[in-house]
Amino acid sequence: MLLQNTIKEVFELFGLGSQVWSYSSGTRVGVSLGGNKLAVHTPIDGSFLSEIPTVTVEDYQALVKQASEAFVVWRSIPAPKRGEIVRQIGDKLRHYKEPLGKLVSIEMGKIYQEGLGEVQEMIDICDYAVGLSRQLYGITTHSERPEHRMYDQYHPLGIVGVISAFNFPVAVWSWNAMIAAVCGNVCIWKPSEKTPLCAIAVQKIVSEVLKENNLPEGIFNVMIGERNAGEWLSDDKNVALVSATGSTRMGKAVGQRVAARMGKSLLELGGNNAIIITENANVEMALRATVFGAVGTCGQRCTSTRRLIVHESLYEKVKQMLVKAYSSLPIGNPLEGGVLVGPLIDNLAVTQFKNALESLQKEGGTVLVGGAILEGEKYEGGCYVTPVVAEAQNHYSIVQEETFAPILYLMRYSGGVENAITIQNAVKQGLSSSIFTQNLLEAEQFLSAWGSDCGIANVNIGTSGAEIGGAFGGEKETGGGRESGSDSWKAYMRRQTNTINYSTQLPLAQGIQFDISL
């Protein structure tokens, strides 16, 4: 009853349910658009939420036209004024934080506290982007030619396509869209087909701000579709940049298609993240970070902790403490207080969880705790599992892959910290990494050029829970892209070098002489 009442409350607020989304106008209409129907269910108990028509080619073309026309208006607005619109979006998100956080939990399955945290992340990136709107700086360079000035400046790209994954159904869009917007771009968002309602709710919120400021609807656009919709974005020369978050398999396909037309792509893909616990670690701190990193969002974050590399002197102690902690994890309805682990996203994820454990055991791994598929009245219709701690070796094929589920592989190392770093780096992915140590030399070695090969390297905090002020992304098969903070904004702009000659002469660079008679 709690779930159904919450669904009713949230759906009424955002106007979700049986109504249809119009891709060409961004508003609700009462007729079908002719696309396939996408049935949406909650992973909490499997109950039906809504049926959404997917985007057609005609819908997509109308969106691109709408976005292109909006770009002409938006790019001419001064960046600080664009920042003011983003500030208002942040205020709207503050107003809708609780119901939007609930919708994230309902549709995706993460616990309510994480749903609220995701919306707060959107608010934070809005605040960051507002400040950024006054700091889109270039640099000046001294020219070798007399009475010449050189400088760099940045211009908006145009249409930015955003392909987001189900695990962060609203936050990752905001990382891209808010930064892209203050840079002068317009966005077309293709959310995961597993979480379309969150995207529609966000579009509704953003549309309120655009309408209040008499701005074109096409600055922010959303299309609900399956793989073919992502392919349209990837192949479309009108889309200057495609930012894609998801699996390495998906990212490779997007990257190849975009590169084939000489477009730009920003890829944030799979992770196989490790925490190293050295003999000099604060073990209690390390384990708190490990458990959150491994079971938060039911192990479905790209930054989830998947490997725990422990010095042999602490291995047995850590193993015992982990088994005890995992044995008492509260699992259930993510909207209920006290629950720390919600469901997996769908039955396919449950199957992949089971298959991973079977592969692990075939390769010689041992499950220490967890691994059950939960049934009974409390879990009926949902996708609930008990998080796993398993002893494994880093070279196992299943350990080398990213399984989007709460499976933590426990392994030991001996000798110096360089041996642990070698194990950590010996995977195809390179997103997030952490070391727990109170030894300065170990920490600095981990952060050195021959230390962690990941885009994110932390000391005495876990792999999960990045702040928006830092550049987010990774190396190797994680894709090399960077989103959110630092100077990630440059990915959403085209760079231009300008040289101004304020003399009456025309000297050439490198002292070249090229005299002609006129």
Side-chain angles (χ1 to χ4, degrees):
M1 185 59 70
L2 168 66
L3 176 60
Q4 294 306 316
N5 287 341
T6 304
I7 290 173
K8 181 179 179 182
E9 168 195 326
V10 171
F11 275 40
E12 286 180 353
L13 179 64
F14 290 120
L16 302 172
S18 60
Q19 292 175 304
V20 178
W21 184 254
S22 169
Y23 299 100
S24 60
S25 67
T27 58
R28 301 284 177 179
V29 297
V31 295
S32 172
L33 300 176
N36 296 323
K37 296 296 194 301
L38 180 66
V40 186
H41 297 81
T42 173
I44 297 175
D45 67 358
S47 60
F48 174 79
L49 294 177
S50 187
E51 192 173 65
I52 309 296
T54 57
V55 67
T56 65
V57 173
E58 292 76 19
D59 295 325
Y60 174 74
Q61 291 170 345
L63 270 185
V64 172
K65 182 176 184 294
Q66 177 176 274
S68 298
E69 292 171 353
F71 175 57
V72 174
V73 176
W74 187 241
R75 70 184 177 186
S76 65
I77 297 173
K81 299 297 184 183
R82 298 193 294 256
E84 166 58 19
I85 302 304
V86 170
R87 184 195 66 77
Q88 293 178 36
I89 292 172
D91 284 348
K92 285 285 186 189
L93 289 169
R94 286 178 172 88
H95 176 74
Y96 287 108
K97 179 178 176 179
E98 291 189 8
L100 186 56
K102 288 177 183 176
L103 181 59
V104 169
S105 294
I106 290 166
E107 192 175 29
M108 187 268 147
K110 63 177 59 176
I111 64 173
Y112 180 45
Q113 282 298 311
E114 289 190 82
L116 289 174
E118 185 166 349
V119 182
Q120 185 61 49
E121 199 164 347
M122 301 175 78
I123 295 167
D124 291 344
I125 201 69
C126 286
D127 289 349
Y128 178 86
V130 173
L132 180 64
S133 69
R134 294 181 180 271
Q135 300 179 68
L136 301 174
Y137 55 84
I139 61 171
T140 59
T141 304
H142 288 278
S143 173
E144 68 181 62
R145 289 168 284 189
E147 298 183 84
H148 283 60
R149 180 166 65 90
M150 296 176 64
Y151 66 93
D152 286 351
Q153 64 176 336
Y154 292 83
H155 297 299
L157 291 171
I159 298 176
V160 171
V162 180
I163 301 173
S164 62
F166 74 87
N167 59 335
F168 280 87
V170 293
V172 169
W173 166 81
S174 70
W175 293 358
N176 288 276
M178 296 303 102
I179 302 297
V182 296
C183 291
N185 302 290
V186 298
C187 288
I188 298 177
W189 180 17
K190 190 269 173 194
S192 169
E193 58 269 31
K194 297 181 181 183
T195 52
L197 298 177
C198 288
I200 291 172
V202 169
Q203 180 72 9
K204 189 176 181 69
I205 292 169
V206 170
S207 295
E208 288 183 15
V209 175
L210 297 178
K211 185 176 181 180
E212 289 165 3
N213 287 273
N214 297 313
L215 287 168
E217 185 75 32
I219 295 169
F220 299 102
N221 307 272
V222 66
M223 61 175 183
I224 310 303
E226 299 180 273
R227 179 182 297 180
N228 59 344
E231 291 173 350
W232 296 337
L233 276 175
S234 300
D235 293 340
D236 192 344
K237 61 180 175 52
N238 295 300
V239 180
L241 169 70
V242 177
S243 176
T245 302
S247 68
T248 296
R249 176 196 55 78
M250 179 276 288
K252 285 182 176 179
V254 169
Q256 289 170 7
R257 299 181 85 107
V258 175
R261 61 175 174 85
M262 299 300 287
K264 299 177 185 292
S265 60
L266 193 165
L267 304 175
E268 196 281 287
L269 310 174
N272 198 343
N273 317 295
I275 290 178
I276 295 171
I277 300 180
T278 80
E279 58 188 323
N280 300 299
N282 180 321
V283 174
E284 183 177 333
M285 277 180 60
L287 289 182
R288 288 183 182 277
T290 299
V291 175
F292 172 73
V295 309
T297 322
C298 203
Q300 297 171 112
R301 294 186 177 207
C302 52
T303 55
S304 290
T305 306
R306 311 215 175 273
R307 297 174 295 142
L308 187 62
I309 305 165
V310 185
H311 190 269
E312 60 183 357
S313 65
L314 294 174
Y315 185 84
E316 291 301 325
K317 177 181 179 180
V318 167
K319 180 167 74 171
Q320 292 173 13
M321 293 176 73
L322 274 176
V323 169
K324 180 181 177 182
Y326 269 60
S327 299
S328 60
L329 285 171
I331 303 169
N333 184 336
L335 292 169
E336 292 180 359
V339 169
L340 296 181
V341 183
L344 289 168
I345 185 65
D346 55 22
N347 289 323
L348 176 60
V350 175
T351 299
Q352 291 171 338
F353 172 78
K354 291 167 58 179
N355 292 344
L357 295 181
E358 290 173 4
S359 297
L360 171 72
Q361 290 168 327
K362 286 179 182 177
E363 292 190 79
T366 303
V367 174
L368 299 174
V369 63
I373 312 301
L374 295 175
E375 299 175 342
E377 184 177 353
K378 179 180 177 181
Y379 307 108
E380 187 175 356
C383 302
Y384 297 91
V385 301
T386 56
V388 169
V389 177
E391 291 183 298
Q393 298 295 319
N394 200 62
H395 66 268
Y396 291 174
S397 60
I398 191 61
V399 176
Q400 290 287 311
E401 300 300 322
E402 179 189 42
T403 302
F404 239 44
I407 302 174
L408 178 67
Y409 300 115
L410 180 62
M411 53 196 76
R412 74 177 77 210
Y413 80 95
S414 58
V417 71
E418 63 277 3
N419 295 332
I421 294 171
T422 297
I423 295 171
Q424 180 209 275
N425 291 348
V427 292
K428 296 175 289 185
Q429 309 85 354
L431 180 52
S432 187
S433 59
S434 298
I435 189 170
F436 277 81
T437 180
Q438 297 180 83
N439 182 299
L440 178 63
L441 300 183
E442 289 179 334
E444 289 296 332
Q445 187 169 347
F446 180 74
L447 300 175
S448 70
W450 55 91
S452 170
D453 64 0
C454 296
I456 299 169
N458 298 327
V459 176
N460 293 329
I461 63 170
T463 61
S464 191
E467 297 182 32
I468 59 93
F472 183 89
E475 302 301 320
K476 300 189 291 188
E477 288 196 356
T478 302
R482 292 298 186 275
E483 297 171 323
S484 191
S486 186
D487 65 347
S488 298
W489 62 270
K490 293 181 179 179
Y492 305 92
M493 305 196 85
R494 59 182 177 88
R495 184 171 181 166
Q496 186 179 78
T497 299
N498 306 117
T499 305
I500 300 171
N501 177 3
Y502 55 94
S503 75
T504 58
Q505 304 299 313
L506 191 65
L508 300 177
Q510 293 84 47
I512 294 173
Q513 298 297 315
F514 193 80
D515 296 326
I516 60 173
S517 299
L518 293 175

